[in-house]
Amino acid sequence: MSAGNMSLTLKVWRQKNGKSEGNFETYSLDGISPDMSFLEMFDVLNEKLVSENKEPIAFDHDCREGICGTCSMYINGRPHGPLKGVTTCQLHMRSFQDGDTIVVEPWRAAAFPVVKDLVVDRTSFDRIISAGGFVSINTGNARDANSLPIPKESADEAFMSAACIGCGACVAACKNSSAMLFTSAKVSQLSLLPQGQAERKIRAEKMVAQMDSEGFGACTNTGACSAECPKEISLDNIARLNREYLGSKITSSLV
Amino acid sequence: MSWLTQTLSSSIGKKLIVALTGLFLCTFLIVHAVGNLQLFKSDEGLAFNMYTVFMTTNPLIKTISYGLYAFILIHAFYGFYLAYVNRKARGTTNYARINNQSSWSSRNMAVLGTVLLVFIIVHMSEFWYEYKFGHLPYKSYTIDLAQGTVVNTENMPADFVLNSKMEEKLNDDNTTKTIIVKDLYVEAQEAFSNPLLVLFYVLGMVAVSLHLIHGFRSAMQTLGANHPKYNPLFDFVGVWLFAILIPVAFAAMPIYFFVQHLMQ
């Protein structure tokens, strides 16, 4: 990590646990390199806090390669910060100016309660997946290649939806804390492929029911979710989910 | 719960109700705007007044208009209810800083809807209530049968009352007929001589424009209508028809009467 010369003021949300009241703490940080990632800058801050015998800031992170969906952070009013199509771990300090004040908050949604500081509980997403975001396949020998023809366009579209890493930026960006972009991407990636057809109808119904019961809001089609999504998941997915859900409700054998 | 009530009480189901009632209100706006264009006809309000009689007596139109009132209430109720649920989903702590990457109108549909609800209440008490329960004057038009033009008009005295909204009779000379009709046109003329009311109407139409520039496209998305072949059409209709043409046509009406009033 090269030493740098950026000086920053950080206003970070500190909250002991889900029950306590939180508040902003202000920290001054010097010697930040523009080549550091945003999380590395937080590592430097935490080392400083530890050396001062203070509690380090809790934040989620794992792969730091932009593919796991673990990091979060609502930076200067935007999930994952100012860049388009980038997770917080792939955001670098060169995107900020020397002397900037940066406000860092956790995702805020009733369905994402704060665990500590910047860490929120996103298991509501896991429960939406458990409700129907899977295919039941009897395993056996590997099938012959091309025995199940899939048009290139369908494969590409499904892949675009499957690019969702489930980070929750869509919920964080949405004024309604709606999980429609996440749920629609997860429904789409399966409904577009032949393997997903068996459970297609029940999947849309169950995942939407779980999404509603978790306390996420309804979609107002503002488009903020897609604009902030680090994987740039398209709003087309939400229209598809609406079709899947309403079509399924009208035609499925679930009464 | 049956599958139907379950569907309609889901988040997507509630939005479906808002979208369908909203699209119905959009089609109503087209009819309302086209019909009211007759205000611009320089026949001292004959066409408009006869159109008003038709719209308030035809059984089919009457049925649809009761449906319309219900749809306005359903649309408003579900809109506010969703806004409340959505606010609750936000949790108890607000962001200290928000840099939202979406349009202002898309984030303020409930605010715009409230403005429109107030507008509708004022508008209906100004015209609908007056026409139905108020004491509107009657106007008599004498029409040349061969030419089809108005040859003479006469304002009936204030205490003149008919049992119906309109009476039509052939005159003795057999070349002209006389139509006596409730005069809503003069009501519009008088109402829009007030600059404050004109301003209120123009602002109301700005709210319609902002509500529909997001509303129409959003309703299509909620219905699942999102396709590269048709999206340009939805965008065009949403912007040019519902956010520009219709609000401008409506706003032109009070302005037209106000300018007429100024020139007198």
Side-chain angles (χ1 to χ4, degrees):
Chain A
M1 213 181 284
S2 60
N5 51 10
M6 285 177 83
S7 296
L8 298 165
T9 305
L10 286 158
K11 287 180 74 177
V12 183
W13 184 260
R14 301 302 308 263
Q15 187 171 336
K16 198 159 180 267
N17 54 49
K19 291 189 183 73
S20 61
E21 294 269 311
N23 63 286
F24 280 101
E25 291 282 343
T26 306
Y27 304 100
S28 296
L29 207 52
D30 299 317
I32 296 298
S33 159
D35 300 328
M36 282 180 187
S37 77
F38 202 81
L39 297 186
E40 285 164 348
M41 182 271 290
F42 258 75
D43 293 336
V44 173
L45 174 61
N46 273 347
E47 278 175 25
K48 187 180 162 212
L49 290 175
V50 170
S51 70
E52 291 168 1
N53 245 340
K54 289 179 187 157
E55 179 80 11
I57 301 162
F59 63 92
D60 269 327
H61 61 104
D62 190 14
C63 77
R64 300 205 178 194
E65 292 181 329
I67 53 168
C68 75
T70 308
C71 60
S72 51
M73 292 199 194
Y74 196 83
I75 302 161
N76 281 346
R78 296 181 65 177
H80 296 300
L83 296 189
K84 198 169 163 51
V86 164
T87 54
T88 298
C89 62
Q90 295 292 296
L91 174 68
H92 292 85
M93 297 317 293
R94 54 182 166 270
S95 297
F96 297 89
Q97 301 286 321
D98 183 33
D100 273 2
T101 298
I102 305 172
V103 181
V104 186
E105 299 170 74
W107 286 176
R108 297 216 187 275
F112 286 167
V114 171
V115 176
K116 183 178 182 172
D117 297 339
L118 302 174
V119 177
V120 296
D121 180 359
R122 283 172 282 185
T123 49
S124 46
F125 268 14
D126 298 343
R127 289 188 290 272
I128 293 175
I129 295 291
S130 308
F134 50 81
V135 288
S136 303
I137 294 170
N138 297 322
T139 52
N141 291 336
R143 302 180 66 165
D144 282 349
N146 301 323
S147 66
L148 188 58
I150 299 172
K152 175 80 165 68
E153 291 77 15
S154 302
D156 286 350
E157 234 185 319
F159 186 80
M160 298 276 275
S161 303
C164 168
I165 52 178
C167 65
C170 45
V171 174
C174 177
K175 75 174 186 70
N176 305 339
S177 299
S178 170
M180 281 289 278
L181 194 66
F182 167 78
T183 308
S184 66
K186 297 304 175 191
V187 165
S188 290
Q189 69 184 20
L190 298 174
S191 72
L192 286 164
L193 296 176
Q195 292 89 340
Q197 298 311 304
E199 293 142 325
R200 183 172 174 179
K201 287 181 177 175
I202 194 170
R203 175 182 305 117
E205 293 194 28
K206 290 204 158 174
M207 289 180 77
V208 169
Q210 188 64 35
M211 175 184 83
D212 286 350
S213 72
E214 293 290 346
F216 292 104
C219 175
T220 304
N221 301 320
T222 68
C225 51
S226 183
E228 296 291 13
C229 175
K231 298 298 157 189
E232 300 178 296
I233 302 291
S234 156
L235 293 175
D236 298 358
N237 289 291
I238 294 183
R240 187 182 295 107
L241 174 61
N242 290 333
R243 289 197 296 275
E244 294 278 330
Y245 178 77
L246 293 170
S248 165
K249 276 291 186 188
I250 292 167
T251 60
S252 81
S253 49
L254 284 172
V255 182
Chain B
M1 265 198 295
S2 79
W3 68 271
L4 187 61
T5 53
Q6 207 177 55
T7 305
L8 294 179
S9 53
S10 70
S11 60
I12 295 178
K14 288 192 205 97
K15 287 184 50 52
L16 179 72
I17 293 172
V18 176
L20 290 176
T21 51
L23 287 176
F24 177 82
L25 299 182
C26 281
T27 60
F28 155 74
L29 281 186
I30 300 175
V31 176
H32 193 39
V34 169
N36 282 20
L37 286 178
Q38 293 172 92
L39 284 167
F40 295 125
K41 218 174 161 190
S42 50
D43 59 355
E44 299 199 39
L46 174 65
F48 179 74
N49 282 334
M50 286 179 68
Y51 166 72
T52 311
V53 173
F54 170 74
M55 293 305 272
T56 50
T57 49
N58 182 292
L60 181 66
I61 304 277
K62 271 172 89 170
T63 312
I64 295 174
S65 64
Y66 288 121
L68 171 71
Y69 306 146
F71 275 19
I72 291 173
L73 293 176
I74 294 170
H75 186 78
F77 172 79
Y78 273 94
F80 287 133
Y81 181 59
L82 277 171
Y84 165 73
V85 172
N86 291 341
R87 184 65 199 79
K88 243 178 47 177
R90 238 351 189 158
T92 46
T93 318
N94 292 323
Y95 285 119
R97 186 181 288 188
I98 296 178
N99 184 356
N100 202 306
Q101 304 295 302
S102 59
S103 70
W104 183 89
S105 57
S106 73
R107 278 178 275 126
N108 291 280
M109 291 300 275
V111 174
L112 291 166
T114 309
V115 173
L116 291 176
L117 199 58
V118 171
F119 176 84
I120 290 168
I121 292 167
V122 172
H123 179 54
M124 285 186 78
S125 62
E126 198 72 42
F127 294 104
W128 177 85
Y129 181 85
E130 282 297 317
Y131 193 79
K132 226 171 162 160
F133 305 107
H135 292 286
L136 283 190
Y138 283 79
K139 191 163 186 158
S140 143
Y141 298 85
T142 309
I143 297 148
D144 185 302
L145 287 173
Q147 306 280 329
T149 52
V150 178
V151 291
N152 190 32
T153 65
E154 188 191 335
N155 291 321
M156 305 305 280
D159 56 352
F160 178 87
V161 177
L162 274 183
N163 285 329
S164 61
K165 290 165 180 161
M166 185 171 96
E167 204 172 81
E168 189 172 354
K169 64 170 192 271
L170 194 65
N171 290 329
D172 296 339
D173 57 12
N174 264 336
T175 60
T176 60
K177 66 173 178 180
T178 299
I179 293 175
I180 302 174
V181 62
K182 247 183 164 179
D183 197 1
L184 190 65
Y185 185 83
V186 76
E187 181 74 13
Q189 264 180 332
E190 280 171 14
F192 295 134
S193 63
N194 177 357
L196 282 179
L197 194 71
V198 174
L199 182 69
F200 176 78
Y201 267 69
V202 171
L203 291 179
M205 289 311 110
V206 171
V208 167
S209 173
L210 290 172
H211 197 72
L212 293 189
I213 201 164
H214 177 70
F216 179 74
R217 195 65 184 76
S218 176
M220 302 312 286
Q221 170 87 354
T222 298
L223 296 179
N226 179 327
H227 191 285
K229 276 184 182 167
Y230 308 108
N231 286 349
L233 176 70
F234 299 152
D235 285 336
F236 182 83
V237 171
V239 173
W240 285 98
L241 180 62
F242 288 115
I244 297 177
L245 193 59
I246 286 184
V248 165
F250 276 127
M253 292 161 195
I255 293 173
Y256 167 78
F257 282 114
F258 187 64
V259 170
Q260 248 189 4
H261 167 74
L262 287 182
M263 292 200 303
Q264 266 171 20

